[in-house]
Amino acid sequence: MSTRHFLMVGAGLSGAVIGRSLAERGHKITIVDSRDHIGGNCHTHRDAETGVLVHVYGPHIFHTDDEEVWNYVNRFATFRPYKNRVKTTSQGRVFSLPVNLHTINQYFGTTLRPDEARAFITQEQADTSITDPKSFEEQALRYVGRDLYVAFFRGYTIKQWGCHPSELPASILKRLPVRFNYDDNYFFHRFQGMPEEGYSDMIAGILDHPAITVQLETTFNREMGAAFDHVFYSGPLDGYFDYELGRLGYRTLDFERFTYEGDYQGCAVMNYGDEDVPFTRITEHKHFAPWEDHQGSVCYREYSRAAGPDDIPYYPIRQVKEKALLKDYADLAEAAQNVTFVGRLGTYRYLDMDVTIREALDTANAAQAAVSNGETLKPFFVSVL
Ligand code: FAD
Ligand code: UDP
């Protein structure tokens, strides 16, 4: 067997899972991360003052239909059942999300049953003149109508994305269900849960292998790659090329942390649908671990804005302009030597954790097959455009 020395840039899920998979096949793995902790954006840490497990870069809830991925994460952590039940404050009242029978009855002051609610929304609210919704706005008007769109989606989306919903693709809204029953589970996946001791603890387990060395507070540069057989890079794609063609656009988040004695809002996630409330949501982290008991509470007020050069990139914008630039960077990547671009930053896509792990496992398998066949490893093992 031919043993290689691989460098993983990034100790998030992508770097950890690819690294672990290749370590288990006998390769030597070095992982660098510029941050002082593992876990990437899934990082969790226990707040010293309150004992609350805090999701440092925003709340993360694990949900998947991929049984292999579910089994994989359960190898490294004990998962507790957790359902994401989101509330929203809009026009001075609190409603249930995603839009469900409770939301409809609350909003319109009705007592409709499922069939009645479906008929009411489709016949009296939805704009059926829109046959093929192209934008976020058209999708909302077509399926829930103007009243619910304005109350729950328009203001929130303007704050979240910094542009009008008429300029955004319909696909963003398609992530959210509309239900004509009282099911208020935000997700519909078969497997949903939270790692009991947090994501960083789970990722520490993935990294715990004798062939893996992790170096924190170490920023990758291209010269570093020369000492390795191949690099798996989960940092920003444009950053690898020193932004020579310009910057791919991202939204960043500012978290305003505050503490509270007791229960601040009674739920983990409270969205704010009104445009004149400057933040999009407040998350109360102890409610992400309902099996724990803490008197103190840690909350984050979340604000979204365009990412500048020194900000953490969170959501790739992926509009027409960004996609054209992405194509140019993908061409540079195709020509680069000994590097594979992986993960949400390396491929400039929004990826849930389960998809990140699925792609990381597939990437490691494909890389191993290439090594075994004496082939060159590809710059991308997924389609990024
Ligand atoms: P990252 O976690 O970003 O890891 C990349 C790592 O590379 C970072 O640690 C970074 O420091 C390091 N790095 C970058 N450049 C360099 C360099 N030059 N040198 C050294 N190190 C470098 N998914 C879900 O399934 N459920 C959720 O509820 C959920 N909530 C989310 C909420 C928010 C606000 C966001 C933004 C994402 C959410 N996600 C969620 C998605 C989840 O965060 C990603 O799937 C996951 O973080 C992707 O892992 P990654 O390893 O590809 O990237
Ligand atoms: N959204 C909204 N109001 C809400 C929640 C979500 O308008 O209360 C919109 C928003 O544009 C968001 C999209 O629906 O980007 C998808 O929702 P999701 O919860 O998946 O948000 P994300 O993961 O993007 O934060």
Side-chain angles (χ1 to χ4, degrees):
M1 196 198 77
S2 123
T3 297
R4 305 286 165 91
H5 189 181
F6 291 119
L7 176 66
M8 306 289 140
V9 179
L13 274 176
S14 296
V17 173
I18 298 171
R20 174 74 185 221
S21 272
L22 292 172
E24 287 175 353
R25 287 156 160 128
H27 302 292
K28 191 172 162 197
I29 310 295
T30 298
I31 304 187
V32 294
D33 202 300
S34 42
R35 293 175 173 166
D36 63 1
H37 59 76
I38 61 164
N41 274 14
C42 308
H43 175 53
T44 44
H45 96 117
R46 207 166 273 288
D47 179 59
E49 185 191 336
T50 57
V52 170
L53 194 59
V54 174
H55 297 222
V56 178
Y57 300 92
H60 280 69
I61 297 133
F62 201 89
H63 52 99
T64 189
D65 278 332
D66 188 328
E67 194 160 0
E68 190 187 337
V69 167
W70 181 242
N71 290 338
Y72 185 86
V73 292
N74 277 276
R75 248 178 87 190
F76 300 103
T78 300
F79 268 74
R80 292 279 196 151
Y82 186 86
K83 297 271 186 287
N84 192 23
R85 301 192 196 283
V86 177
K87 303 280 176 265
T88 186
T89 298
S90 173
Q91 302 171 355
R93 292 158 66 200
V94 176
F95 299 92
S96 168
L97 276 189
V99 172
N100 65 72
L101 189 50
H102 201 186
T103 326
I104 295 166
N105 277 328
Q106 283 176 309
Y107 188 82
F108 295 103
T110 48
T111 55
L112 301 174
R113 291 183 300 100
D115 293 346
E116 294 166 339
R118 189 186 295 275
F120 169 67
I121 294 294
T122 50
Q123 290 162 22
E124 293 180 44
Q125 291 291 312
D127 182 347
T128 47
S129 70
I130 302 168
T131 48
D132 179 21
K134 294 270 185 305
S135 67
F136 183 113
E137 180 171 65
E138 286 181 355
Q139 176 77 12
L141 294 175
R142 170 69 186 83
Y143 289 102
V144 297
R146 178 160 296 277
D147 290 348
L148 297 179
Y149 162 61
V150 170
F152 303 128
F153 300 120
R154 190 176 66 186
Y156 188 97
T157 297
I158 290 172
K159 292 187 286 184
Q160 170 86 350
W161 292 100
C163 64
H164 197 271
S166 57
E167 297 165 47
L168 290 166
S171 57
I172 297 183
L173 185 58
K174 286 182 186 161
R175 300 211 288 256
L176 294 186
V178 176
R179 300 203 184 99
F180 295 103
N181 58 28
Y182 288 99
D183 180 2
D184 62 351
N185 185 351
Y186 209 74
F187 304 119
F188 32 74
H189 292 105
R190 229 170 7 131
F191 307 107
Q192 305 183 28
M194 283 287 191
E196 195 171 54
E197 285 301 323
Y199 294 98
S200 287
D201 183 73
M202 175 180 93
I203 294 171
I206 298 173
L207 294 170
D208 182 17
H209 186 285
I212 299 179
T213 309
V214 180
Q215 294 167 9
L216 296 176
E217 297 179 273
T218 307
T219 299
F220 171 80
N221 56 53
R222 274 186 268 172
E223 293 72 62
M224 213 183 255
F228 299 86
D229 292 307
H230 193 82
V231 176
F232 290 86
Y233 178 86
S234 73
L237 175 61
D238 50 358
Y240 183 87
F241 298 103
D242 300 322
Y243 307 99
E244 62 178 75
L245 306 175
R247 282 178 182 267
L248 289 166
Y250 278 95
R251 300 291 290 172
T252 193
L253 299 174
D254 295 320
F255 297 110
E256 190 177 88
R257 180 187 183 280
F258 62 97
T259 54
Y260 185 80
E261 270 306 291
D263 190 356
Y264 179 72
Q265 61 182 15
C267 64
V269 182
M270 176 65 77
N271 289 356
Y272 285 82
D274 299 326
E275 196 183 339
D276 58 1
V277 174
F279 44 88
T280 51
R281 59 182 180 177
I282 297 178
T283 53
E284 184 164 13
H285 291 240
K286 67 179 177 183
H287 293 305
F288 291 115
W291 56 90
E292 294 188 359
D293 191 17
H294 302 286
Q295 176 55 26
S297 199
V298 179
C299 300
Y300 277 11
R301 247 180 231 112
E302 204 169 307
Y303 300 80
S304 171
R305 62 179 168 82
D310 297 326
D311 294 318
I312 299 175
Y314 281 94
Y315 294 100
I317 294 177
R318 281 186 89 90
Q319 295 282 72
V320 175
K321 184 169 71 103
E322 286 81 14
K323 279 196 175 166
L325 186 56
L326 174 62
K327 165 89 181 67
D328 294 340
Y329 273 116
D331 288 344
L332 281 185
E334 292 288 344
Q337 301 289 311
N338 293 334
V339 56
T340 297
F341 297 88
V342 296
R344 63 178 198 100
L345 299 171
T347 64
Y348 191 60
R349 289 171 307 150
Y350 179 84
L351 299 179
D352 273 326
M353 291 181 281
D354 62 327
V355 181
T356 304
I357 295 171
R358 161 53 53 207
E359 290 191 358
L361 293 171
D362 291 348
T363 297
N365 288 344
Q368 179 60 36
V371 169
S372 304
N373 297 331
E375 293 162 5
T376 310
L377 275 64
K378 293 187 199 161
F380 296 106
F381 285 103
V382 293
S383 159
V384 298
L385 296 175

